[in-house]
Amino acid sequence: MPAPVLPLVEIAPLLPERGALVGLDLGDKTIGVAVSDPDRRLATGVETISRKRFTEDANRLLALAAERRVAGLVLGLPLNMNGSEGPRAQATRAFARNLAKLTELPIGLWDERLSTAAVERELIAADASRKSRKAVIDQHAAIFILQGALDRLLRGPA
């Protein structure tokens, strides 16, 4: 049975009490990957995957999920500033639907507006060179996305 793909708050009841989550920042060329601790308090970077074909990308993501025994996945949903969905959000939804066919792990979608911009500002403030920012920005964006999702889940039902 395919995994459910729902807004983050709607997957919360489907998650066990404990268990790490994987956070993903989907880009055209890369996928930033972060993971939480089993108590879902802190997100840390894992790696940046260079995108190839969907099957290869999905296999790597699911291998990471299995290695870390995660309870679910969180994908950053890049909404427009007015909350509408453009082509990037539609591509993320399509990726999530296709990934859901390969796993039973619940997939939560989390509004990631401005995550990359926020991370870039932080890296610039930390005096990271353009080259070093490019190497880590997707992973840091995944951390930003997952940490926001973790903080929201810790608050409980709205």
Side-chain angles (χ1 to χ4, degrees), residues 48-115:
T48 300
I49 298 170
S50 292
R51 293 196 70 174
K52 295 174 180 72
R53 292 186 352 256
F54 171 79
T55 304
E56 290 176 61
D57 300 344
N59 286 342
R60 179 65 190 138
L61 292 171
L62 295 175
L64 285 168
E67 286 169 20
R68 297 180 181 267
R69 296 184 178 98
V70 302
L73 305 165
V74 176
L75 273 68
L77 185 64
L79 299 174
N80 294 324
M81 291 309 294
N82 66 2
S84 66
E85 292 190 15
R88 301 236 335 115
Q90 292 167 1
T92 297
R93 284 190 183 277
F95 185 94
R97 281 192 306 272
N98 290 330
L99 188 60
K101 295 173 187 172
L102 305 175
T103 184
E104 292 183 1
L105 294 171
I107 299 172
L109 300 173
W110 178 246
D111 180 356
E112 68 141 313
R113 277 180 273 194
L114 300 178
S115 62

Side-chain angles (χ1 to χ4, degrees), residues 2 5 10 12 20 30 53 57 72 89 93 99 113 116 140 145 151:
V5 178
E10 293 180 29
T30 60
R53 292 186 352 256
D57 300 344
R93 284 190 183 277
L99 188 60
R113 277 180 273 194
T116 301
H140 281 252
I145 290 163
D151 294 346

Side-chain angles (χ1 to χ4, degrees), residues 9 19 29-30 39 49 75 88 112 118 125 128 134 144 147 153 157:
V9 294
K29 297 179 182 175
T30 60
D39 291 321
I49 298 170
L75 273 68
R88 301 236 335 115
E112 68 141 313
K134 187 175 180 351
F144 188 90
Q147 190 63 55
L153 288 171

